[in-house]
Each structure stands twice: as C-alpha cells, then as structure tokens.
Amino acid sequence: MSPLPSGLLGDLDPTSDRAVFRQIADQLREAIDRGRFREGEKLPSEADLVDHFGVSRMTVRNAFSILQGEGLVHAEHGRGVFVRPRPPVRRLASDRFARRHREQGKSAFIVEADAAGSHPTVDSLEVKEEKASQDISTRLGSVRRVLARRRRYLLDGRPVEFATSYLPLDIARGTPIAEPNPGPGGIYARLEELGHHLDHFEEEIRARMPSPAEVKTLHLAAGVPVIHLIRTAFDTGGRAVEVCDTVMAADAYVLSYQLPAT
Amino acid sequence: MSPLPSGLLGDLDPTSDRAVFRQIADQLREAIDRGRFREGEKLPSEADLVDHFGVSRMTVRNAFSILQGEGLVHAEHGRGVFVRPRPPVRRLASDRFARRHREQGKSAFIVEADAAGSHPTVDSLEVKEEKASQDISTRLGSVRRVLARRRRYLLDGRPVEFATSYLPLDIARGTPIAEPNPGPGGIYARLEELGHHLDHFEEEIRARMPSPAEVKTLHLAAGVPVIHLIRTAFDTGGRAVEVCDTVMAADAYVLSYQLPAT
DNA sequence: CTCGCCCACTCGTCTAGATACCTAAAGGAG
DNA sequence: CTCCTTTAGGTATCTAGACGAGTGGGCGAG
C-alpha cells in the first residue's frame, strides 16, 4: 500500500463536468501515451488509486474498464493491471497467393512465419461435408452442400486466425482437398492440378467486435476487434471454386493490397 | 415497473460457475440473436431486470456493459437500452480509384453515395502546410514538410470517415491541390494533370478500437472499432506522390479487393 | 536446501443504497 | 390551443463494504 510516486498522476478537477472515473481514465491514458508506463508495465493497483484520488473502488474500476474497452490495458487476476503490449503483427501482402509462392511445398502461413522468425502451428483441423449457409451458397453459385475445411493458426503458441474454406462437392469430393492434409502448396495447388486454373480472388473485409465464441477461440483480450475476411477464388472460367471465411485477431494483422491506377 | 413477460428471459443457474452478470448478458445476447428483440427495440429496463432476476442494479449494469462492449446494444440516458441497429454499409471496391471514375467531375465519395441513394456531405475541411510525422516522411521518401488536406465525410448526416492526405510540397504547393476545393476529379485528377501519371496504390489496413478523439469525431457508439487505412499513391516513376490516412467507422464499411492469382 | 503452507496483495463479483440528470407524457395556466 | 410545470420512469455516477479467488513471496518444518 505504498503511496503513489507524486507527480505520476495529477488531481481531479471537482469543477469539471467530466465524470470522476473518466478523469481518472484520462489521466492514466495520458500517462500511458506519454510513456510514463511502458508496454507490459504494471499500473497502480486499484487500492493505490483509491487512496490517491480519494474515491471508492468502483470508481477506479470504472476507469480501468474504459481503458480495457479501448484495448489499452488488461487486468490479470491476482497480479494487477498492465499496459497491453502490442504484439508483433503479421503482414499479409496482396501477392500472398501468387502462384510462385505455391511451388515451395509448405503452406503460405508456415513459410511466412518461418521467414519472420516466429513459430507457427496449425490446429483444430476439421474437414467435413455440410450444408452450405445461405451466404456461402450464394457466393459459390447456389450449391446446397459443401466441403468445409476448418483450421486455426497460431504464432508462437498464440492463436491469431481461424479460417474455414468451403468448396463445392463436385470439385472437392474424393480429392486430396478432402484430406486433412491436402499436400504441398495447399488446396489452391490441388485445385490447379485438378484443372481449375485460378484466375483471381475477391476479398471482402469487415471489422467488428468478436463474439464470445471468437474471444474463446482466439484468446482475445478485451478491446481487441477482429478482422473478418471473406475470400472467393475464381477460376479462369469465372466460376467461384472456393470461399474462405477468416476471422483474425485485429491486433496481430496488417493487411496490405496493391491497386492498379488504371 | 410492469413485470417482464414470462418466457422472454429464463432464470439464473446458481450452480453455474459463470458469474451472474455474465449469465444475464448471455440471456440477453441470445434473445437478441434469436430476434426476440429487434434492431432499435428497447430492452427491459435495469429495474425490470433487477426484479426479474432478483439481483442488485450494479449486476444488471455489468451485464449491459458487456453487451455494449460487444457493440450489440447502446444505452440512451433517460430513455433505455436499445438493440443497436446495423447501419447501411458503404462498399469500397478495389477499382474505386480507376481513372475512368475520375472523369466524372465529382469526387468519388459523392458519386458513390448518390448512386446508393444516400445524402453525402464533406466538412471539417482544412488544408495547410505542416511538418511531416516520422511515418509520413518515410512513406513519402524523406520529406520534411508536407501539404496536409483533412476532411470528414458524412452519409445522411452521420460521420463515417475522417481522412488526411499528405503531399510533398514540391508537388502540391501553388497548385489547385493546395486549394480547399481542388476541382473535378479530386487531387488524383490534378496530380495527373501536373504530370504525375499514377501507376498504382498501396493500401495498408488495420483495425483497432478508436481513441477518444476518434469517438468524438466519428460519433462512435461503444463497441464499434475503426478501420485504419493508409494509402500511398505511386507515379509511373515509382515515386510516392501522396499518402492518405483514413479512419473509418468499422460498422459503416466493407472493403473489397481483387487480387490476381498470378 | 527444499517443499509446503500461510499471508499479503490484487482483481472479480455482488449488495444496497444515494444523488443527479435526462426523457416523455400528462396536466394545468394562460 | 400553446406553453410551462410536474411527475414517473429511465440511465449515470458514486459510495461503502463484503466475500471470493488467483499470485507470489516469506517462512517454518523436514
């Protein structure tokens, strides 16, 4: 219960219209922005702040809850509240599905993570046939049932992405694509071997807060949104041959695209 | 203080490990997902839920606070808590900067919004020379000062996007680009007229929770992330001629890109 | 020295109020 | 009829305290 170092945080302004817990949140936010507290560093405990500001504990907790919602800090039960470190991000370039990257033998995720010096893992593999949702059916051109390939990607043990690929049964059934491990180069390599020469991809990107299930699967901290990416692969005949639905921890990714100016 | 319609919400499970306020949040979330409460509809008041579940008010508020963080509901002081309606989204296609779209005379934003039947506005215009931040300087190739063009875009009165364009002074100073209204086709049209023939754009996309300033500028509800897009325009000589830093309300946008498979 | 236990510290959850302020509708004064 | 006041029903903020439970260090037993 050592008192706060004086000067670290200021006083409240009783004349202000701003609610006390917001003022406290503002002070902490500013201290973090100014680098007074570094990444991973422990903030003053709730009890410290109760003493320093002379408010009740709920008020302090309200302040912390604001900062958590902003993704600035995270609380650890029994330890304290910490400045949330910015994890290393994974950059996705727009040429990541270029044919030349498929010749290697490993999946794009593994190759890329190895190059970045991280330790990649893939788990939660599930491959099965199922009924297509309305949305997937529309994107694939009115198919009823699809082959679904689900998997989760981890970097250095941290889950960062959860993806499901959907393929029409007439394309995928009975091929290596329906196997848990589709072989070198991934399913895009298999699709081309099967005569579905890929022409282009379309990607749709949204960002939103995660559902409770996504929080669990991706071990998301409070205040971390997800990037929801839906990619459709088209063959040279203009047919949609695959839809991949991906949910990514937003703090782990930067997406990068090149657009022609023509 | 009319009692809740029975059957709308269930009971608590006292044997569950799950905290009471989470159980309440779960029930409300499920009721919303199942369509028991529609978009814009008012949820039971805090007092109703206090009575129904036999808990204290703080517990109910905690439950609401979870749902707010998920972007599912929003509270209106003195009115109630409402299911947050999903606003119409603006789709950004990857060909939105194609040269053919520039010949029209109006800015891309206006044309597109008119086509979608919304009422577009642009405000908060500011054009001035300033010192380049480290990041902007790097992207533009070590320039010290830049012309900054700031503006905010609104759809039907709702702010959806806040953007700043940065251009090297040797390109922009003294040209229509330095005017508040750069003329038909926007600054990309002017750049081409000035001999900077555009070759391609690079876009970097991140998603995160907004800063307090962004919440204010974009009138963001709780639980709405922002999409942060940084676009760099390159001329045919490979020089970066503009960087545009855009912050978008994530619930108002779907980004769409086409990637070649080659 | 090592292991296990205890205790201090810390956040998590919940209660039971009090006061403030906002909104909307009803009702009364003009 | 119009406008203002009242009032009921909402959320916003804050207090004071209780108990639960995870963490980690210190200390004593072996």
Side-chain angles (χ1 to χ4, degrees):
Chain A
M1 185 95 56
S2 53
L4 235 48
S6 73
L8 232 188
L9 296 174
D11 293 319
L12 298 176
D13 174 3
T15 70
S16 168
D17 280 350
R18 198 152 174 81
V20 173
F21 73 93
R22 288 185 209 283
Q23 292 186 47
I24 296 178
D26 290 345
Q27 291 210 15
L28 291 169
R29 190 189 302 106
E30 196 176 317
I32 292 170
D33 287 347
R34 286 177 187 273
R36 300 267 248 269
F37 299 106
R38 293 182 214 169
E39 289 191 7
E41 197 175 336
K42 186 174 169 302
L43 294 174
S45 76
E46 294 176 358
D48 288 342
L49 294 173
V50 163
D51 287 349
H52 178 82
F53 289 113
V55 297
S56 84
R57 191 170 154 229
M58 276 314 253
T59 303
V60 170
R61 282 182 62 78
N62 263 334
F64 275 142
S65 130
I66 290 185
L67 300 180
Q68 274 194 51
E70 291 172 2
L72 270 182
V73 308
H74 69 111
E76 293 182 28
H77 193 171
R79 302 225 308 131
V81 178
F82 300 83
V83 179
R84 202 156 67 74
R86 308 206 185 297
V89 297
R90 194 174 154 230
R91 292 185 166 266
L92 296 189
S94 54
D95 67 346
R96 64 190 182 280
F97 295 119
R99 206 159 278 126
R100 64 178 181 284
H101 293 328
R102 274 205 294 284
E103 327 282 291
Q104 317 286 333
K106 293 189 198 169
S107 93
F109 181 78
I110 307 277
V111 172
E112 195 193 319
D114 279 342
S118 333
H119 177 63
T121 326
V122 182
D123 72 359
S124 301
L125 271 137
E126 183 190 64
V127 183
K128 62 186 245 249
E129 297 184 5
E130 61 185 39
K131 187 170 176 302
S133 71
Q134 179 62 59
D135 180 59
I136 297 298
S137 172
T138 304
R139 291 177 193 269
L140 283 178
S142 302
V143 299
R144 225 167 265 194
R145 294 183 62 78
V146 289
L147 180 80
R149 297 182 50 89
R150 275 172 241 284
R151 67 275 185 199
R152 185 173 68 161
Y153 297 97
L154 302 90
L155 281 186
D156 300 319
R158 185 206 165 187
V160 292
E161 174 181 342
F162 185 77
T164 307
S165 284
Y166 300 94
L167 298 106
L169 287 185
D170 70 285
I171 290 181
R173 184 183 265 168
T175 73
I177 294 173
E179 302 297 322
N181 182 350
I187 60 176
Y188 292 147
R190 295 298 86 68
L191 280 170
E192 300 223 306
E193 286 168 7
L194 291 166
H196 304 281
H197 203 70
L198 295 177
D199 182 68
H200 69 281
F201 302 94
E202 269 181 27
E203 297 200 338
E204 272 187 20
I205 300 171
R206 290 173 178 77
R208 55 172 170 76
M209 292 314 280
S211 70
E214 290 163 346
V215 168
K216 203 168 182 181
T217 304
L218 295 177
H219 298 179
L220 293 173
V224 178
V226 291
I227 297 174
H228 188 171
L229 189 156
I230 302 169
R231 177 178 53 250
T232 309
F234 294 90
D235 67 13
T236 46
R239 177 181 179 191
V241 293
E242 186 234 22
V243 171
C244 183
D245 183 296
T246 305
V247 176
M248 297 175 273
D251 63 356
Y253 280 90
V254 179
L255 310 187
S256 172
Y257 292 92
Q258 268 206 28
L259 296 82
T262 51
Chain B
M1 185 94 61
S2 55
L4 236 47
S6 73
L8 231 189
L9 296 175
D11 293 320
L12 298 177
D13 175 4
T15 69
S16 168
D17 281 348
R18 198 155 174 78
V20 173
F21 72 92
R22 289 185 206 283
Q23 292 187 47
I24 296 178
D26 290 345
Q27 291 209 16
L28 290 169
R29 189 187 303 107
E30 194 176 319
I32 293 170
D33 287 347
R34 286 176 187 275
R36 299 268 246 268
F37 299 106
R38 292 182 214 169
E39 290 191 6
E41 197 174 337
K42 185 173 169 303
L43 294 174
S45 76
E46 295 176 356
D48 288 342
L49 294 173
V50 163
D51 287 350
H52 179 82
F53 289 114
V55 297
S56 85
R57 193 167 152 239
M58 275 312 258
T59 303
V60 170
R61 282 183 62 78
N62 264 334
F64 276 142
S65 131
I66 290 185
L67 299 179
Q68 274 197 50
E70 291 171 3
L72 271 181
V73 308
H74 70 110
E76 293 182 29
H77 194 166
R79 301 224 310 132
V81 178
F82 300 84
V83 179
R84 201 156 68 75
R86 308 210 182 294
V89 296
R90 189 170 161 235
R91 293 185 166 264
L92 296 189
S94 53
D95 69 348
R96 64 191 182 280
F97 295 118
R99 205 159 279 126
R100 65 179 180 283
H101 293 326
R102 275 204 293 283
E103 327 283 292
Q104 318 286 331
K106 294 188 195 168
S107 94
F109 181 78
I110 307 277
V111 172
E112 192 193 322
D114 279 342
S118 334
H119 176 62
T121 329
V122 182
D123 72 358
S124 302
L125 271 138
E126 183 189 64
V127 183
K128 63 185 244 246
E129 297 184 6
E130 60 185 41
K131 186 172 177 299
S133 72
Q134 179 63 59
D135 180 59
I136 297 298
S137 173
T138 304
R139 290 176 194 270
L140 284 178
S142 302
V143 299
R144 226 169 263 194
R145 293 183 63 78
V146 288
L147 181 79
R149 296 181 52 90
R150 277 173 241 283
R151 68 275 185 197
R152 186 173 68 160
Y153 296 97
L154 302 90
L155 281 186
D156 300 319
R158 185 207 165 186
V160 292
E161 175 180 341
F162 185 77
T164 308
S165 284
Y166 301 94
L167 297 105
L169 288 185
D170 70 285
I171 291 181
R173 183 182 267 168
T175 74
I177 295 174
E179 302 298 320
N181 184 349
I187 59 175
Y188 292 147
R190 293 300 84 69
L191 280 170
E192 300 222 309
E193 286 167 8
L194 290 167
H196 303 282
H197 203 71
L198 295 177
D199 182 70
H200 69 281
F201 301 94
E202 269 181 27
E203 296 199 341
E204 272 187 20
I205 301 171
R206 292 173 177 76
R208 55 172 170 75
M209 293 314 281
S211 70
E214 289 163 347
V215 168
K216 204 168 184 181
T217 305
L218 295 176
H219 297 179
L220 293 172
V224 179
V226 291
I227 296 174
H228 188 171
L229 190 157
I230 302 170
R231 176 177 52 252
T232 309
F234 293 90
D235 67 13
T236 46
R239 177 180 178 191
V241 293
E242 186 234 22
V243 171
C244 182
D245 183 295
T246 305
V247 176
M248 298 174 273
D251 62 356
Y253 280 90
V254 179
L255 309 188
S256 173
Y257 292 92
Q258 264 204 34
L259 297 81
T262 52

